[in-house]
Amino acid sequence: MSLSARALVLVVVMSALAASSACRGGGFFGRQYEYEEDLFLALDGSATLVVNASIPALVALRGLELDPDPAHRVDVAKVRAAYESPFAEITRVSPPWRRSGRRFVQIRLALKDIRTLSGARPLAWSRYKLAEENGRHVFEQKVGASALRPGTLGAVGWDGSEIVAFRLHLPSRIIWHNARDLESGQPRGAARGNILAWEQRLTDRLDGTPVDMRVEMDSQSILHRTLWLFGGAFLAAVTVLGLLIWFTVRKGAGVDASSTGP
C-alpha cells in the first residue's frame, strides 16, 4: 500500500472514531462535561477538590456573579473570591479556556476536613459525611438544589445534551458503592480500581434533582497496604539472603575442617 493510500485510510478511521464518539454524546477525547467535581479523598477527611465548569454553569448552578457572555473576559479574581472561605484553601484558578462557544475555568481547593466543606458557599449544595462504621469507612455526599438562575443567562448554546459529573478518587479498596450508568441505570464499575463517577444531565441538575452518593471502603489505605506488602517482601528477601550466607559459610567451614584432618 502506498504512503498516500495509508494516509487516506488513517483519515477515514479517525473520522469514523470521531463520529462514533460524537454519537455517544462525548467528544473525540471522551465525554465532556459542563460542570464536574473531582474529589481526591484521604481517610482522615482531608482532600483535594478540583472543579471544572463553564462560566454559564457557575452562574446558573452556583449563583456566581459572573458575565456568561463568551465575548467578555472572565474575571478570574471574581471566581477566586467566590470560592474563598475558612473551609478550603484555593491553590489554583486556571486561565480560562473555550469549548463549544463557552468559556471554562478550573478551581483547585485543598481541604482539611471534607465534613466542613458545606460551609463554602459555592459548594453548599452538598452535605458530606465520612465515618468509620463496622470496621470500614463510609463516605456519603448528597447534592441538593442548584441556584437555578437560567433566566439570567440568555442563549449560551446549551442543547439539552450537557452532562455534569461528581467523581471520587478513593484512597482504599472499594467494598460497595451506588454509582450507576447514566444511560442504562445499571451499576457501573470503578475506573482504574478506585475512581467512581456519578453523572447527571444538566437539565436535571438545574431542576435540583438530588444526587445521592455512598461508598463503603477499607479502613486501610492502598498506600498503607502496599508499604506493608513491600516491607514484608523485603524482610523475606533479607531472611532468604541471610540463610544462604549462613549455609554457604557453614559449608565452607565443613570443607576446611575435612581438608585439615590426619
Side-chain angles (χ1 to χ4, degrees), residues 58-72:
L58 290 176
V59 173
L61 294 176
R62 304 311 312 129
L64 270 62
E65 299 289 340
L66 301 170
D67 190 338
D69 188 342
H72 291 173

Side-chain angles (χ1 to χ4, degrees), residues 34-35 56-64 122 125 145-149 158 164 202 205-207:
E34 196 71 16
Y35 178 97
L58 290 176
V59 173
L61 294 176
R62 304 311 312 129
L64 270 62
W125 61 357
S146 68
L148 192 58
R149 296 187 56 201
W158 289 340
V164 302
L202 175 63
R205 185 88 297 270
L206 285 167
D207 288 341

Side-chain angles (χ1 to χ4, degrees), residues 73-105:
R73 179 175 173 273
V74 176
D75 191 337
V76 174
K78 214 169 186 179
V79 175
R80 176 179 287 273
Y83 277 86
E84 284 179 346
S85 78
F87 310 100
E89 176 190 355
I90 302 171
T91 58
R92 185 174 186 266
V93 178
S94 74
W97 71 92
R98 188 187 293 267
R99 193 180 76 216
S100 302
R102 297 181 290 280
R103 292 189 183 273
F104 285 71
V105 70

Side-chain angles (χ1 to χ4, degrees), residues 58-238:
L58 290 176
V59 173
L61 294 176
R62 304 311 312 129
L64 270 62
E65 299 289 340
L66 301 170
D67 190 338
D69 188 342
H72 291 173
R73 179 175 173 273
V74 176
D75 191 337
V76 174
K78 214 169 186 179
V79 175
R80 176 179 287 273
Y83 277 86
E84 284 179 346
S85 78
F87 310 100
E89 176 190 355
I90 302 171
T91 58
R92 185 174 186 266
V93 178
S94 74
W97 71 92
R98 188 187 293 267
R99 193 180 76 216
S100 302
R102 297 181 290 280
R103 292 189 183 273
F104 285 71
V105 70
Q106 180 185 94
I107 307 102
R108 299 180 67 93
L109 304 143
L111 322 173
K112 291 183 178 179
D113 190 343
I114 186 65
R115 289 158 287 208
T116 66
L117 188 56
S118 298
R121 188 174 69 84
L123 301 161
W125 61 357
S126 288
R127 294 292 179 267
Y128 304 89
K129 173 186 173 183
L130 178 65
E132 190 172 355
E133 299 179 5
N134 302 318
R136 60 184 62 177
H137 269 63
V138 176
F139 174 82
E140 292 182 349
Q141 180 179 346
K142 299 181 185 295
V143 190
S146 68
L148 192 58
R149 296 187 56 201
T152 64
L153 295 176
V156 297
W158 289 340
D159 61 13
S161 66
E162 293 77 20
I163 298 172
V164 302
F166 300 88
R167 273 186 296 274
L168 294 179
H169 302 251
L170 298 164
S172 60
R173 183 178 65 91
I174 298 168
I175 299 171
W176 181 89
H177 66 85
N178 66 350
R180 293 184 173 271
D181 183 74
L182 178 64
E183 306 297 339
S184 67
Q186 296 299 312
R188 65 188 302 169
R192 296 196 297 277
N194 66 334
I195 303 173
L196 293 171
W198 286 258
E199 296 177 344
Q200 188 179 43
R201 300 199 182 282
L202 175 63
T203 49
D204 292 332
R205 185 88 297 270
L206 285 167
D207 288 341
T209 303
V211 180
D212 190 353
M213 306 159 58
R214 180 181 171 94
V215 182
E216 299 176 11
M217 56 190 156
D218 275 344
S219 291
Q220 189 178 75
S221 70
I222 293 172
L223 176 60
H224 186 271
R225 186 187 299 273
T226 302
L227 289 175
W228 269 105
L229 290 173
F230 178 79
F234 179 76
L235 181 61
V238 170

